[in-house]
Amino acid sequence: MKEHDDSTPEQHAAPTAPVAEKGLSRRSLIKGLGAASAVAVGSGAITGFPMIWAQNIKNVTLRQFGTGVSNLNDIARKAKEDLGITLQLTALDSDAVAQRAVTQPKSYDIADIEYWIGKKVFPSGVMQAMDTTRLKNFDKISPLFITGKLTPDSTIAQGTAPHTVGFVESADSVKFASEPTRWMTLIPTIYNADTLGIRPDLVGRPITHWRDIMDPAFKGRTSILNIPSIGIMDAAMICESMGAVSYGDKGNMTREEIDKTIAILMQAKKDGQFRAFWKSFDESVNLMASGEVVIQSMWSPAVAAVRSRGVECRYQPLEEGYRAWGGGIGLAKHLSGLELDAAYEYIDWYLSGWVGAYLNRQGYYSAAPATSRQFMSEDEWGYWMEGKAAQGDILNPQGEVMEKAGAVRDGGSYEQRMGSVACWNSVMDENRHMIRKWNEFIVS
């Protein structure tokens, strides 16, 4: 979340080329796309293309739901302008998204969900696997979502790394594949590396570790977010930094590890360490902007929102690394025919650059960085992606000044930030026990 809360401000071709179900390389998938498209169009399998089809999708309405971080009206308006497709958006919090995806599968066409939610949702059979050969921008997707590694030498982070739940074994399978296949569960769209936000003018010393949030000097002036599946990950980063708990996998704790973690939080709460436990974007902004809190769990755009008020605030890189999250678009099982065609067209458009640039300007990352660059100035790209000092003012997607000339992004470049991920947001085998213990902590 995540920076994930509801309160935050194309090729149409039926692939026919034979492609093996498992063990595909990115190269073979891309080659399969080209061959498939050529066969389909050349054989007359698609008639009246593209004019009749293009006119027809202008009449399509797709119902999309997800968290407020990416269910944005500006994106819906641009999709209408570019494709003619009407998107009906519903923004919910993460827990409500997970519940609706499974219990109301006929109420949506597109699920815009996080990968840890997908781990729970996809095995239930309410969504359909997506054929990557229908996406001409598939090869532009960051390797983080294909292999789990930003570079060949990267270490795969703990937790629900997106690539571990990103593919299934076949078109009809609900079993996650151990390596890339032709069939994806979600087409990735948005992600980020989360850390602590601080008020440099109020903390009084350098902040370098997750454990600094537990410093008695900040008693009554700290906060963590109260979304159990995400808050527990921040707590794990804190406890591990303190040397209080040694985890086998922070993203899949044992009962004993959960109990130890919650006990540490409960003691800190009893001692008065925390000022609040926030759930919404606006809460986090107000706590920090007012000075009630000087160090807390925070999301990148929330830090930017505080700075936009003229208040000094920093998204602090920490020695232990970041907690990351990622989301993507998945398709409901019932979607078929022209609506399914339109959904594929929309997803490929999502990866084609305009949306990615929009998300980059919010402080997130595009799943297809190369395409987003085409929709950003060199100065914007340098600031957001390369860690360079801004040559001019940096604007948000609404055209308002976010940073002044000379500013450097907290944490540096894309490679520095996403290359320092320690764990991904996750759903644990002991998820029910974790939620029960978390709720005990909140009401204690």
Side-chain angles (χ1 to χ4, degrees):
M1 51 153 296
K2 167 178 140 172
E3 302 174 24
H4 329 281
D5 181 77
D6 59 325
S7 58
T8 59
E10 310 186 58
Q11 185 77 19
H12 177 64
T16 58
V19 183
E21 293 292 325
K22 298 183 68 173
L24 275 73
S25 67
R26 287 166 64 81
R27 183 181 299 275
S28 64
L29 279 169
I30 298 159
K31 288 172 66 179
L33 167 62
S37 300
V39 170
V41 175
S43 66
I46 299 174
T47 58
F49 178 83
M51 185 56 67
I52 294 175
W53 172 78
Q55 289 298 319
N56 286 342
I57 70 164
K58 292 183 182 298
N59 301 320
V60 170
T61 296
L62 297 173
R63 301 163 299 164
Q64 176 177 310
F65 84 107
T67 54
V69 66
S70 51
N71 280 265
L72 304 169
N73 289 332
D74 284 350
I75 295 176
R77 282 193 289 268
K78 186 62 174 174
K80 180 71 172 179
E81 176 185 327
D82 288 359
L83 304 175
I85 296 170
T86 299
L87 291 174
Q88 293 181 348
L89 303 181
T90 302
L92 305 169
D93 64 49
S94 296
D95 291 335
V97 165
Q99 182 179 28
R100 178 171 177 174
V102 175
T103 63
Q104 302 177 56
K106 297 289 188 181
S107 70
Y108 63 89
D109 304 310
I110 295 174
D112 182 1
I113 60 180
E114 298 159 65
Y115 278 89
W116 67 269
I117 294 175
K119 183 180 179 180
K120 294 196 290 186
V121 171
F122 204 88
S124 70
V126 297
M127 298 172 69
Q128 61 179 285
M130 284 177 286
D131 188 346
T132 59
T133 65
R134 295 188 67 171
L135 300 172
K136 64 175 176 283
N137 287 306
F138 173 78
D139 65 309
K140 306 299 194 303
I141 294 173
S142 168
L144 271 176
F145 296 93
I146 308 299
T147 65
K149 294 184 176 186
L150 190 61
T151 69
D153 298 327
S154 298
T155 299
I156 295 176
Q158 295 180 356
T160 305
H163 76 289
T164 63
V165 294
F167 297 89
V168 285
E169 295 183 342
S170 67
D172 299 321
S173 176
V174 294
K175 183 179 180 181
F176 297 121
S178 59
E179 58 187 351
T181 72
R182 171 175 168 175
W183 308 99
M184 289 194 91
T185 59
L186 300 173
I187 300 300
T189 54
I190 184 173
Y191 54 111
N192 207 355
D194 283 0
T195 183
L196 298 175
I198 67 168
R199 283 284 301 271
D201 56 327
L202 299 179
V203 292
R205 67 169 179 82
I207 301 297
T208 55
H209 296 278
W210 280 86
R211 62 177 175 266
D212 289 340
I213 199 171
M214 292 295 198
D215 187 337
F218 306 137
K219 181 178 179 179
R221 305 180 76 189
T222 75
S223 179
I224 58 176
L225 77 167
N226 180 19
I227 299 174
S229 296
I230 301 160
I232 194 67
M233 302 298 287
D234 280 357
M237 295 294 287
I238 293 165
C239 292
E240 190 171 67
S241 174
M242 294 168 62
V245 184
S246 178
Y247 302 93
D249 180 351
K250 291 183 288 295
N252 196 18
M253 301 179 199
T254 64
R255 284 198 172 212
E256 181 182 11
E257 290 168 349
I258 292 168
D259 292 348
K260 285 183 179 179
T261 304
I262 296 298
I264 291 167
L265 292 179
M266 292 179 76
Q267 185 61 52
K269 183 180 180 183
K270 182 179 179 181
D271 293 341
Q273 187 69 16
F274 302 115
R275 169 66 180 86
F277 307 101
W278 60 266
K279 275 195 170 184
S280 77
F281 177 94
D282 288 340
E283 284 179 288
S284 70
V285 171
N286 292 334
L287 285 167
M288 192 66 90
S290 68
E292 290 180 70
V293 164
V294 300
I295 179 172
Q296 67 172 357
S297 301
M298 214 162 180
W299 304 333
S300 181
V303 171
V306 173
R307 286 206 287 253
S308 72
R309 300 184 184 187
V311 177
E312 190 175 1
C313 191
R314 179 171 169 81
Y315 205 46
Q316 182 63 48
L318 300 169
E319 288 190 14
E320 298 86 1
Y322 295 86
R323 172 188 55 75
W325 59 272
I329 290 175
L331 303 181
K333 189 82 168 181
H334 67 79
L335 206 58
S336 64
L338 186 63
E339 286 73 23
L340 180 60
D341 293 338
Y344 271 106
E345 182 75 2
Y346 164 60
I347 292 169
D348 216 19
W349 170 84
Y350 208 110
L351 294 171
S352 67
W354 185 91
V355 179
Y358 185 101
L359 297 175
N360 286 347
R361 293 186 187 102
Q362 288 190 307
Y364 302 126
Y365 289 121
S366 163
T371 64
S372 66
R373 184 170 190 168
Q374 302 169 38
F375 290 83
M376 303 177 75
S377 70
E378 282 302 307
D379 191 27
E380 286 181 309
W381 183 262
Y383 174 80
W384 288 115
M385 300 297 290
E386 297 180 332
K388 295 179 179 178
Q391 300 301 300
D393 290 347
I394 298 297
L395 309 181
N396 68 10
Q398 289 72 44
E400 302 162 340
V401 176
M402 288 184 70
E403 301 289 352
K404 295 290 188 180
V408 176
R409 185 175 188 180
D410 295 340
S413 70
Y414 172 70
E415 287 78 12
Q416 287 173 306
R417 296 172 95 253
M418 292 310 302
S420 300
V421 170
C423 65
W424 290 87
N425 283 357
S426 184
V427 58
M428 305 177 188
D429 294 341
E430 295 288 351
N431 187 59
R432 290 185 179 180
H433 178 71
M434 183 277 292
I435 291 175
R436 183 166 63 250
K437 297 299 291 185
W438 181 272
N439 289 334
E440 289 178 10
F441 154 60
I442 292 297
V443 301
S444 66

